[in-house]
């Protein structure tokens, strides 16, 4: 990479390119906060809908957060039983949730690695005649505005998109104008605890 560049929403720290900066949410910590919240609310049968862990940095890092949160609470995660791989879309969130309901009816909570998957999952839960959060608690990731207007309001990890955009611009401009070295910035996130998670 010969000219200044900024990778946004994925970290470039480990790539080692002299001119590549990055601004991203700490996906592992944020996912750990979401799943830790479910566990602290009493949930023990927690399922996860997420990306391909072998090919997706986002999926891999957020999965690491799932494992970390449960491990810190003396729990283990059975990925073979409770992890469903899906692309980041409404349709695939719906399909993954439908499979979980058929194959693991004991689950009481679901962490979806993106809000679009969480909304698809919510529709599948309702189509199966179940209620959120009375039967299944649900939490997403991203903080899309629709989460505040969905019924029930969806709990989610909110990424600070404006912060990331502003920092990315500032870092890139500094590199162009001042020949500044590459920087790797971790953006803050917020755990939005709303109506889709209940204590058991």
């Amino acid at each position: 990479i010969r000219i200044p560049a900024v990778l946004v929403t994925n970290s470039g720290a480990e790539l080692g390119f002299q001119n590549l900066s990055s601004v991203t949410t700490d996906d592992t910590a944020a996912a750990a906060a979401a799943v830790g919240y479910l566990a602290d609310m009493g949930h023990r049968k927690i399922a996860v809908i997420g990306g391909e862990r072998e090919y997706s940095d986002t999926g891999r890092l957020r999965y690491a957060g799932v494992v970390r949160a449960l491990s810190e609470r003396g729990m283990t995660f059975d990925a073979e039983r409770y992890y469903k791989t899906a692309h980041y879309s409404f349709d695939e969130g719906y399909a993954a949730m439908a499979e979980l309901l058929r194959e693991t009816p004991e689950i009481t909570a679901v962490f979806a690695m993106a809000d679009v998957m969480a909304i698809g999952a919510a529709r599948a839960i309702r189509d199966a005649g179940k209620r959120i959060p009375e039967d299944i608690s649900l939490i997403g990731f991203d903080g899309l505005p629709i989460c505040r207007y969905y019924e029930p309001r969806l709990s989610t990890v909110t990424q600070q998109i404006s912060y990331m955009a502003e920092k990315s611009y500032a870092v890139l401009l500094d590199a162009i104008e001042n020949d500044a070295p590459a920087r790797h910035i971790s953006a803050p996130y917020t755990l939005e605890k709303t109506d889709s998670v209940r204590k058991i």
Side-chain angles (χ1 to χ4, degrees), residues 158-179:
T158 297
Q159 300 192 80
Q160 304 301 318
I161 303 301
S162 294
Y163 176 94
M164 285 194 282
E166 290 167 6
K167 284 291 184 184
S168 299
Y169 174 77
V171 166
L172 184 59
L173 198 62
D174 195 25
I176 292 169
E177 294 186 343
N178 304 313
D179 200 27

Side-chain angles (χ1 to χ4, degrees), residues 70-83:
L70 296 179
S71 177
E72 288 173 351
R73 291 161 176 80
M75 301 163 61
T76 58
F77 183 69
D78 182 354
E80 186 173 337
R81 183 163 178 79
Y82 293 117
Y83 190 95

Side-chain angles (χ1 to χ4, degrees), residues 9-141:
T9 74
N10 286 89
S11 176
E14 296 179 6
L15 298 178
F17 293 114
Q18 184 176 353
N19 287 313
L20 180 65
S21 297
S22 60
V23 180
T24 185
T25 302
D26 185 336
D27 282 306
T28 301
V35 173
Y37 171 51
L38 293 176
D40 293 342
M41 292 293 278
H43 296 278
R44 295 297 177 265
K45 302 295 184 182
I46 301 170
V48 177
I49 301 172
E52 282 279 1
R53 306 193 303 274
E54 294 79 8
Y55 307 110
S56 165
D57 278 346
T58 301
R60 176 177 57 82
L61 293 170
R62 292 180 187 178
Y63 176 75
V66 171
V67 173
R68 185 172 89 187
L70 296 179
S71 177
E72 288 173 351
R73 291 161 176 80
M75 301 163 61
T76 58
F77 183 69
D78 182 354
E80 186 173 337
R81 183 163 178 79
Y82 293 117
Y83 190 95
K84 287 294 177 186
T85 300
H87 292 294
Y88 294 82
S89 70
F90 298 112
D91 289 345
E92 296 231 355
Y94 184 101
M97 188 71 237
E99 285 185 33
L100 284 167
L101 290 169
R102 287 194 303 269
E103 298 171 8
T104 56
E106 71 275 14
I107 60 174
T108 64
V110 176
F111 166 53
M113 289 188 185
D115 288 338
V116 291
M117 292 194 290
I119 292 168
R123 183 74 265 165
I125 291 168
R126 290 194 164 175
D127 285 353
K130 296 185 179 294
R131 300 164 299 164
I132 303 168
E134 291 85 355
D135 299 313
I136 297 179
S137 290
L138 180 64
I139 190 167
F141 196 116

